Every structure is written in structure tokens, then in C-alpha cells.
Amino acid sequence: MQFKDIIGQEELKRHLVHAVDTGRISHAQLFSGSAGAGSLALAVAYVQYLCCTHRLDGDSCGECPSCRQISQLAHPDLHMVFPVNRQGKKSTDVMLSDQFMGQFRELFTETGGYFSPHEWYARLDLGKTLKGVISAGEADEIIRKLSFKSFESEYKVILMWLPETMIEVAENKLLKILEEPWEHTLFVLVSEQSDLLLPTILSRTQEVGVPRITPEVLQRYAAEHGVRDAEQNRVLSRLAAGDILRLKQLIKGEDDTERQENFELFCRLMRLSYNDRHLELITWAEDVARLTREQQRSFLRNALRLLRESFMLHSGIPQVGYLWGEELKFCTNFAPFVGARNIEPLSDEIERAMSQITQNGNPTIVFTHFALAVSKMIKHL
């Protein structure tokens, strides 16, 4: 994975190259950003550049043994850690990333490093109830691996994807390592929700914020992948909101079913809330609770988007919106109920529900509370 393979992020790539070239390499770095912004791919490209023996023109050579091994996630000094789990495991079973490394490499190769947690969990076939975690045993394995000398490179690298999925014991063990790091050891954490990490871990890492991809880059990508109509290109790139994974789904039409289901759940919630139909709101919560956790998170993200779009319409600035079709029609009618007095409390409720679902909260309880809380805030302003 070379920097040239990363979609957009030119300024950030220059910053990372300059840091390596000037020797300003923090022992623990946190790449914080969404999968669709390329946070994982960018982290791998950074490690490859760091370990490359023939860097050229601000990029790794892609040809030396180190580059070839890292591009396949098979370098002996690169240790990958990511959330895992499996159906039918016993309580005594220790789930380690190494046991699933083949599946992870396959997905990384197929997608060029651009894939979501949902895609990874689908590859693991976790079903509706299981979630991927980084266990205490994984932290012990990290300590064991770091006790050895490096094989080929100057650095031993731990690249941890989704560190927010660590259980508490694992977080505390990682914190101990970060406080007393081995010489020539580099930790690269790649997080989508860094706010879920322990503050003490955050304080010991250097954050590398991975921003959303610019509309101009998305429009070029869409044009290169068959979207020739200029207006369609513009609309799809705006709807993707800086997320290349979302843009790919929109181009292929794969996002339509999930988007429609989320939209219908949102409309139903708001109509029941406006009419104070509390018993039906409980039924609504039970229906959402039957979805997978990734589907629940997808609904909440979409609900937050629609609320913010409705607020923009309420504020009289529709030109900055990203709505069209039936979403635009509904939110135009719904806009009078979302204003300065309730947009922040509504957003807070969504963020709270998202955090509770991420932390494995009981979905029936979470969404029942969420629906009843929302119903108190939806009034004509």
C-alpha cells in the first residue's frame, strides 16, 4: 500500500512523509477517522513508507522486500490487531487476531484497504448478537511479540484497527505498554470512535486526524467509475458526504435498500412522536432492537443526518443540503419541528444511543428510552 494508492488526503500524506523524513516519529499514533476516509489504508501506507529501504519522491518504492511484505500484511515486524469473534465459541476460548489473519488479508486485498467494520463482521459471520472485540488475551499476545527483537526493520509495529473494541482489561494492559514502551516500537491505532478510548490512552498518543474526502476528489472518482452525467455526479458526490465507501454504494445502487429502510424507520419514529403514540413507540423500539447492531448504528447515523438536514431547511438554507426525492419532501414538511431549541438535545440522544449500542447495551432498553425521549422533543416550534 503506497501513498499513491490513497484516495485524496494529499495534505495529510505530505505531513506524514515530512514527519518520517525528519525523524519526528511518535511511539504511539492514533489515526482517527472513518473507514470511508481511508484511515486504515493510510495507516498501512504510512508504515510501509517508514519501513521502506528505497523511498523515492515522497512515497515508498513498492518493490523492496519490506514494501512487498507490508502491502500483503505479511511483514514479520508488522503485527496486526483487530476485533474478532466467532459463533459457537466456548467461554474458555481465547480469540486472537492471528487466527483470523487470512480472512483479514483477503478482505484488505479485495478492497484495497477500504472496508467498514460491518463488512469485516459480515466476513466473520457474527450474526445479530455477537460483536467483534479485542480481548485481554490479545493484549498479552502483543506483550509477547514485542519481547522479541525485530527481524528485518528498525521498528516493530503494532497496527491496531478499531481499538475502541478493546475490553477494559485489554485497555489497561495496553496503557501499561504505552507508558513504558520498548525501544524502536511503534503503535499505530486506527479508530473510528476515538472518544470511546480511555482518556489516559488518548493522552499518550499523537492524533493524526483523517478528514473526510473533499467533494472534488469524490467527483473525479465518480467520473472515473462511469458516472458521466455532470448533475448526477454532483448529487452522488454530495450525498456521499466525504465517504468513498458510501460513494461506491451509491454508484452501484447498493445503498438503496438500507437507505430506504432507515428512512422509513425515521419517518415512523417522528410521526409517532408527534402524535404521542407511546405504546406504538415501544413497538417501534422492539422492531429496531431486532436488527443487527451494525444496522442499528446505521439507522442512528442516518437519523442524525436527516435531523441536521431538516434543521438546515428550518433555518432557511436549503442550498447547503444533501436531500432529494422523498427524503427532501418529508424533511421539508418535518422542518418546522426541528429548530434551535431541540436540535442539540435530539442529537445528544442519538449520540447517547449510539454509544450504548456500541458498548453492547440491551437494544430493547436503549431504543425504548430513545424513542420516548425523542417524543418529548418533537413539537411545532
Side-chain angles (χ1 to χ4, degrees):
M1 178 66 66
Q2 294 176 270
F3 282 129
K4 70 177 183 180
D5 300 319
I6 305 301
I7 301 170
Q9 309 294 5
E10 298 304 324
E11 182 177 349
L12 182 53
K13 287 188 280 189
R14 285 192 292 269
H15 168 76
L16 293 172
V17 166
H18 179 72
V20 173
D21 291 348
T22 57
R24 297 177 180 177
I25 303 169
S26 173
H27 80 281
Q29 300 180 43
L30 174 64
F31 283 65
S32 178
S34 68
S39 53
L40 176 60
L42 189 63
V44 174
Y46 169 72
V47 173
Q48 183 166 314
Y49 183 74
L50 176 67
C51 298
C52 178
T53 55
H54 299 94
R55 301 172 196 152
L56 180 65
D57 296 330
D59 207 345
S60 54
C61 68
E63 297 295 332
C64 68
S66 178
C67 284
R68 291 181 180 274
Q69 290 173 321
I70 292 177
S71 66
Q72 299 172 12
L73 304 184
H75 195 286
D77 295 318
L78 171 63
H79 307 290
M80 299 293 302
V81 178
F82 41 83
V84 296
N85 215 328
R86 72 179 176 206
Q87 300 280 0
K89 73 176 181 67
K90 299 178 182 178
S91 58
T92 55
D93 289 345
V94 178
M95 298 288 100
L96 299 177
S97 301
D98 287 350
Q99 297 168 301
F100 301 86
M101 195 63 214
Q103 292 165 276
F104 194 85
R105 287 192 185 111
E106 286 178 4
L107 185 58
F108 188 91
T109 301
E110 291 169 11
T111 62
Y114 287 81
F115 59 91
S116 67
H118 178 65
E119 291 176 273
W120 170 236
Y121 297 150
R123 184 64 60 100
L124 292 178
D125 191 22
L126 296 187
K128 292 186 176 182
T129 56
L130 285 180
K131 68 172 187 176
V133 296
I134 296 175
S135 67
E138 194 79 72
D140 292 333
E141 184 67 6
I142 291 173
I143 295 172
R144 186 188 72 82
K145 289 176 177 178
L146 292 181
S147 66
F148 302 131
K149 291 183 177 180
S150 59
F151 287 86
E152 298 176 9
S153 297
E154 179 183 358
Y155 286 90
K156 291 176 290 183
V157 181
I158 300 293
L159 200 162
M160 182 181 291
W161 183 54
L162 304 181
E164 58 268 30
T165 62
M166 283 188 290
I167 66 171
E168 184 177 355
V169 176
E171 281 193 290
N172 289 327
K173 290 186 176 184
L174 177 65
L175 177 61
K176 182 66 174 177
I177 304 172
L178 295 179
E179 289 175 335
E180 301 175 5
W182 278 268
E183 188 177 5
H184 296 297
T185 295
L186 174 63
F187 282 86
V188 178
L189 312 183
V190 182
S191 174
E192 289 201 343
Q193 293 179 287
S194 58
D195 58 304
L196 298 180
L197 292 169
L198 289 175
T200 44
I201 289 180
L202 293 176
S203 67
R204 286 163 176 77
T205 60
Q206 180 184 69
E207 184 173 9
V208 179
V210 183
R212 290 183 175 275
I213 300 172
T214 63
E216 294 77 17
V217 171
L218 291 180
Q219 287 178 23
R220 287 199 300 271
Y221 181 91
E224 292 168 359
H225 289 78
V227 184
R228 305 301 181 191
D229 182 82
E231 181 61 18
Q232 182 188 18
N233 187 319
R234 186 187 68 83
V235 170
L236 293 183
S237 298
R238 283 170 61 85
L239 287 173
D243 189 308
I244 195 67
L245 296 180
R246 180 76 188 284
L247 180 62
K248 289 179 179 179
Q249 290 176 327
L250 290 168
I251 292 173
K252 295 178 181 179
E254 296 176 349
D255 188 57
D256 294 346
T257 300
E258 181 179 353
R259 186 185 183 89
Q260 182 64 32
E261 291 173 351
N262 285 334
F263 176 63
E264 290 174 357
L265 283 173
F266 178 82
C267 294
R268 185 176 156 204
L269 171 63
M270 296 308 163
R271 286 169 177 152
L272 292 174
S273 297
Y274 173 73
N275 291 296
D276 291 327
R277 306 290 287 271
H278 293 158
L279 289 178
E280 293 179 52
L281 280 170
I282 292 174
T283 301
W284 176 91
E286 292 171 347
D287 291 342
V288 180
R290 283 191 283 270
L291 301 175
T292 68
R293 291 192 179 271
E294 285 303 315
Q295 288 172 328
Q296 290 162 1
R297 283 161 51 86
S298 175
F299 162 72
L300 290 169
R301 287 193 295 266
N302 195 62
L304 186 59
R305 176 183 66 85
L306 291 173
L307 280 173
R308 288 174 174 168
E309 294 287 353
S310 299
F311 178 65
M312 293 298 103
L313 292 171
H314 179 95
S315 302
I317 45 177
Q319 63 271 20
V320 300
Y322 293 82
L323 295 175
W324 62 296
E326 60 181 353
E327 287 187 346
L328 177 59
K329 181 179 178 181
F330 177 84
C331 290
T332 299
N333 295 328
F334 179 61
F337 304 94
V338 185
R341 285 187 293 175
N342 65 356
I343 183 62
E344 289 191 12
L346 284 167
S347 299
D348 289 344
E349 284 298 331
I350 292 177
E351 296 288 356
R352 185 178 296 109
M354 179 77 78
S355 177
Q356 291 169 343
I357 288 300
T358 301
Q359 296 175 33
N360 213 27
N362 184 304
T364 301
I365 296 174
V366 170
F367 283 104
T368 298
H369 172 84
F370 171 72
L372 295 176
V374 167
S375 70
K376 297 177 181 179
M377 303 177 196
I378 302 301
K379 302 296 177 186
H380 201 294
L381 301 177

